[in-house]
Amino acid sequence: MPLLYLDCQYGIAGDMALSALIDAGADINYVISHLNGLPVDPFVLGVSTVNQHGIQAKTLQLFFPLADTGPTPLSAPGRHLHHRRASAILAMIESSSLPLRVKQRATAVFSALARAEGKIHGIPPDEVHFHEVGAMDSIIDIIGVCLALESLDIDRIIASPVAVGGGKKQMAHGCYPIPAPATAELLLGIPLADFPVEGELTTPTGAAFINALVHEFRALPAVTLSAIGYGAGKKRFSHPNILRVMVCESAESRPERETVVTLQCEMDDISGENLGYVMERLFEQQALDVYYTPVYMKKNRPGTLVTVLCRPEDSAMLEEILLLETSTFGVRQTRHSRLILQRRIEYVTTPYGDIAVKIGFRGQRVYHTAPEYEQVRLAAKNHRVPFDLVWGTVRQSANADWAAACLKTSQVVTDSATKI
């Protein structure tokens, strides 16, 4: 699957990201059709072409015909006072018919924003009322970007160091230095670019994308470029206020063996509720797997061994979570080489809708097929049938499709051999 490179040397904002992805080939009609299925205020979404310092780019055009209070356009002063609670936004995403990966990404972005705002204001994330980022345009920016990523079938995201700008900015709670408090919180542990410019280059929404969706920060790796997009912001600077995105194919196929890091610590003085929260935090920050094992510790005390599997570049952030969120006084780290199957996602048609199936293979041989749990769960819930019934139907359809594909491949090989 393609990977995406975010060139954030001039910063990143929600509208810039969405317009850049559309410029790179994301289907705007796909984005709009899914957004229209959400319980949001009526909107008109489009892009136009602009030129900034000699670079042609797309800029987002987003309009709201009516405000909640009447016919006043939402672009009028004060529309950012249209607050929404984080828990309500997450519930809306969960109950929607958005594609599974879009739900996961949008939830990760909004959760990152809620944690950052909650930490700053000293309140639980679910109780956060968004101000600037809770306005309707930012909600559409975030979900729209996740839909655009799905339209391009982006599997992995890499980014450059991020420019943030400087100076001060007036916000809902007063005048604050740039980067804004939420932006700074979201960029903890992320490399920043040395680009001293007066003004806000990276917004909280842009920082949330970086925090929640980017797998790695580095210079552009060895890739084959398949598309490039430019998204322009509305502000004018002495430099191009543009985000560049690059849709790429890796120059090398995904290796069958890769290096992974195992983090471990054990505790005998932590509650089950705390462990549940820790697991959520670890998965939100790109842990590949997390599991708990009952163990007996010193003085024959029952305890819990926490094991985290992650990529090397994510280990430092995950260690910090373990030290911050648990009672451990240390974390052990070991490196391993693991053999991995290549994977692809295919969809099978069932009486309960089209459901994704993960295919694990090496070369021409398929080893495993596994329905996507969340889609099976939603289908069972929506059709009011047992989970096992949907799961079994998907497995049966997937195996039938796979057998047919194998037979077709065999026939092609036989025909070719006959002709030779």
Side-chain angles (χ1 to χ4, degrees), residues 6 19 25 105 117 129 133 139 144-145 154 186 198 242 245 259 284 301 323 333 342 366 378 403:
L6 295 174
S19 54
R105 284 172 166 162
E117 293 281 358
H129 281 77
V133 297
I139 291 174
V145 165
I154 299 298
L186 288 160
E198 190 82 8
I242 284 175
V245 302
T259 299
E284 287 167 357
R301 295 174 180 171
L323 292 171
Q333 179 182 126
Q342 293 177 289
V366 173
L378 287 173

Short mmCIF file of all heavy atoms in Angstrom, two decimals, residues 6 19 25 105 117 129 133 139 144-145 154 186 198 242 245 259 284 301 323 333 342 366 378 403:
data_model
loop_
_atom_site.label_atom_id
_atom_site.label_comp_id
_atom_site.label_asym_id
_atom_site.label_seq_id
_atom_site.Cartn_x
_atom_site.Cartn_y
_atom_site.Cartn_z
N LEU A 6 4.68 13.77 4.72
CA LEU A 6 4.24 15.13 5.02
C LEU A 6 5.46 16.03 5.15
O LEU A 6 6.28 15.86 6.06
CB LEU A 6 3.44 15.15 6.32
CG LEU A 6 2.12 14.39 6.36
CD1 LEU A 6 1.55 14.42 7.78
CD2 LEU A 6 1.12 14.99 5.38
N SER A 19 -6.64 20.05 1.68
CA SER A 19 -6.50 20.54 0.31
C SER A 19 -5.28 19.93 -0.38
O SER A 19 -5.31 19.66 -1.59
CB SER A 19 -6.42 22.07 0.29
OG SER A 19 -5.40 22.55 1.14
N GLY A 25 -4.60 13.90 -5.39
CA GLY A 25 -5.42 12.91 -6.08
C GLY A 25 -6.54 12.31 -5.27
O GLY A 25 -7.30 11.47 -5.79
N ARG A 105 -8.74 6.47 12.64
CA ARG A 105 -7.85 7.63 12.53
C ARG A 105 -8.49 8.89 13.11
O ARG A 105 -7.85 9.64 13.84
CB ARG A 105 -7.45 7.84 11.07
CG ARG A 105 -6.41 6.85 10.59
CD ARG A 105 -6.17 6.93 9.10
NE ARG A 105 -4.95 6.21 8.73
CZ ARG A 105 -4.65 5.82 7.50
NH1 ARG A 105 -5.49 6.08 6.50
NH2 ARG A 105 -3.53 5.16 7.25
N GLU A 117 -5.87 19.10 25.55
CA GLU A 117 -6.68 20.16 26.16
C GLU A 117 -7.00 19.83 27.62
O GLU A 117 -6.99 20.70 28.49
CB GLU A 117 -7.98 20.34 25.36
CG GLU A 117 -7.79 20.89 23.96
CD GLU A 117 -7.58 22.40 23.95
OE1 GLU A 117 -7.63 23.01 25.04
OE2 GLU A 117 -7.37 22.96 22.86
N HIS A 129 -14.40 20.70 26.32
CA HIS A 129 -15.21 21.41 25.34
C HIS A 129 -14.25 22.11 24.39
O HIS A 129 -13.52 23.02 24.78
CB HIS A 129 -16.13 22.45 26.00
CG HIS A 129 -17.35 21.84 26.61
ND1 HIS A 129 -17.33 21.17 27.81
CD2 HIS A 129 -18.64 21.81 26.17
CE1 HIS A 129 -18.55 20.75 28.10
NE2 HIS A 129 -19.36 21.13 27.13
N VAL A 133 -10.73 24.21 17.87
CA VAL A 133 -10.73 22.92 17.20
C VAL A 133 -12.09 22.26 17.25
O VAL A 133 -12.33 21.27 16.59
CB VAL A 133 -9.69 21.97 17.82
CG1 VAL A 133 -8.30 22.52 17.65
CG2 VAL A 133 -9.99 21.72 19.29
N ILE A 139 -13.94 20.15 12.63
CA ILE A 139 -14.47 18.78 12.64
C ILE A 139 -14.46 18.22 11.22
O ILE A 139 -14.05 17.07 10.98
CB ILE A 139 -15.90 18.76 13.22
CG1 ILE A 139 -15.85 19.09 14.71
CG2 ILE A 139 -16.57 17.41 12.99
CD1 ILE A 139 -17.21 19.24 15.36
N GLY A 144 -12.43 14.88 7.24
CA GLY A 144 -12.14 14.97 5.82
C GLY A 144 -10.75 14.49 5.48
O GLY A 144 -10.56 13.79 4.46
N VAL A 145 -9.76 14.84 6.28
CA VAL A 145 -8.39 14.35 6.04
C VAL A 145 -8.34 12.83 6.14
O VAL A 145 -7.71 12.16 5.31
CB VAL A 145 -7.41 15.00 7.04
CG1 VAL A 145 -6.08 14.25 7.06
CG2 VAL A 145 -7.16 16.46 6.68
N ILE A 154 -3.81 5.21 1.84
CA ILE A 154 -2.55 5.40 2.55
C ILE A 154 -2.48 4.46 3.75
O ILE A 154 -3.38 4.42 4.58
CB ILE A 154 -2.40 6.86 3.02
CG1 ILE A 154 -2.40 7.81 1.82
CG2 ILE A 154 -1.13 7.03 3.85
CD1 ILE A 154 -1.26 7.59 0.85
N LEU A 186 0.86 18.58 22.14
CA LEU A 186 0.74 17.54 21.12
C LEU A 186 2.07 17.25 20.43
O LEU A 186 2.25 16.16 19.87
CB LEU A 186 -0.29 17.96 20.07
CG LEU A 186 -1.75 17.91 20.54
CD1 LEU A 186 -2.63 18.77 19.64
CD2 LEU A 186 -2.25 16.47 20.55
N GLU A 198 7.52 34.87 12.61
CA GLU A 198 6.48 35.44 13.47
C GLU A 198 5.11 35.00 12.96
O GLU A 198 4.72 35.31 11.84
CB GLU A 198 6.58 36.97 13.45
CG GLU A 198 5.72 37.66 14.48
CD GLU A 198 6.37 37.70 15.87
OE1 GLU A 198 7.54 37.32 15.97
OE2 GLU A 198 5.69 38.14 16.82
N ILE A 242 2.49 26.83 2.73
CA ILE A 242 2.06 25.66 1.98
C ILE A 242 2.53 24.39 2.68
O ILE A 242 3.63 24.32 3.21
CB ILE A 242 2.61 25.71 0.53
CG1 ILE A 242 1.81 26.72 -0.30
CG2 ILE A 242 2.60 24.34 -0.14
CD1 ILE A 242 2.36 26.94 -1.68
N VAL A 245 2.54 17.36 0.32
CA VAL A 245 2.41 15.94 0.63
C VAL A 245 2.87 15.14 -0.58
O VAL A 245 2.70 15.55 -1.73
CB VAL A 245 0.96 15.56 0.99
CG1 VAL A 245 0.47 16.37 2.18
CG2 VAL A 245 0.01 15.73 -0.19
N THR A 259 12.98 -5.54 12.78
CA THR A 259 13.40 -5.40 14.17
C THR A 259 12.27 -4.78 14.97
O THR A 259 11.69 -3.77 14.57
CB THR A 259 14.66 -4.52 14.27
OG1 THR A 259 15.72 -5.14 13.53
CG2 THR A 259 15.08 -4.36 15.71
N GLU A 284 -2.70 3.99 21.57
CA GLU A 284 -2.86 5.28 20.90
C GLU A 284 -1.52 5.81 20.39
O GLU A 284 -1.47 6.54 19.40
CB GLU A 284 -3.48 6.30 21.86
CG GLU A 284 -4.97 6.06 22.11
CD GLU A 284 -5.48 6.87 23.29
OE1 GLU A 284 -4.66 7.57 23.93
OE2 GLU A 284 -6.68 6.80 23.59
N ARG A 301 3.93 -11.79 46.49
CA ARG A 301 2.81 -10.90 46.17
C ARG A 301 2.36 -11.10 44.73
O ARG A 301 3.20 -11.12 43.83
CB ARG A 301 3.22 -9.43 46.35
CG ARG A 301 3.56 -9.05 47.78
CD ARG A 301 4.11 -7.64 47.81
NE ARG A 301 4.44 -7.22 49.17
CZ ARG A 301 5.10 -6.10 49.47
NH1 ARG A 301 5.49 -5.30 48.49
NH2 ARG A 301 5.37 -5.80 50.73
N LEU A 323 6.45 4.84 32.49
CA LEU A 323 7.01 5.48 33.68
C LEU A 323 6.03 6.50 34.27
O LEU A 323 5.95 6.66 35.49
CB LEU A 323 8.32 6.17 33.32
CG LEU A 323 9.49 5.24 32.96
CD1 LEU A 323 10.67 6.05 32.43
CD2 LEU A 323 9.91 4.41 34.18
N GLN A 333 14.19 -3.14 28.20
CA GLN A 333 14.03 -3.09 26.75
C GLN A 333 14.92 -4.14 26.10
O GLN A 333 16.11 -4.25 26.41
CB GLN A 333 14.40 -1.72 26.19
CG GLN A 333 14.27 -1.63 24.67
CD GLN A 333 14.68 -0.28 24.10
OE1 GLN A 333 15.52 -0.23 23.20
NE2 GLN A 333 14.09 0.80 24.60
N GLN A 342 3.34 -10.90 4.73
CA GLN A 342 2.81 -9.74 4.00
C GLN A 342 1.30 -9.72 4.19
O GLN A 342 0.66 -10.76 4.38
CB GLN A 342 3.16 -9.84 2.52
CG GLN A 342 4.64 -9.72 2.24
CD GLN A 342 4.94 -9.91 0.77
OE1 GLN A 342 4.84 -10.99 0.23
NE2 GLN A 342 5.30 -8.81 0.10
N VAL A 366 -1.19 -18.16 0.62
CA VAL A 366 -1.98 -17.52 1.67
C VAL A 366 -1.95 -18.40 2.91
O VAL A 366 -2.25 -19.59 2.85
CB VAL A 366 -3.44 -17.30 1.21
CG1 VAL A 366 -4.29 -16.79 2.37
CG2 VAL A 366 -3.48 -16.31 0.05
N LEU A 378 -19.91 -4.24 14.24
CA LEU A 378 -20.92 -3.27 13.83
C LEU A 378 -22.02 -3.94 13.00
O LEU A 378 -23.20 -3.61 13.15
CB LEU A 378 -20.26 -2.14 13.02
CG LEU A 378 -19.41 -1.15 13.82
CD1 LEU A 378 -18.68 -0.21 12.88
CD2 LEU A 378 -20.28 -0.37 14.79
N ALA A 403 -10.37 -19.69 -2.68
CA ALA A 403 -10.29 -20.94 -3.42
C ALA A 403 -10.51 -20.70 -4.91
O ALA A 403 -9.82 -21.28 -5.76
CB ALA A 403 -11.31 -21.94 -2.88
#
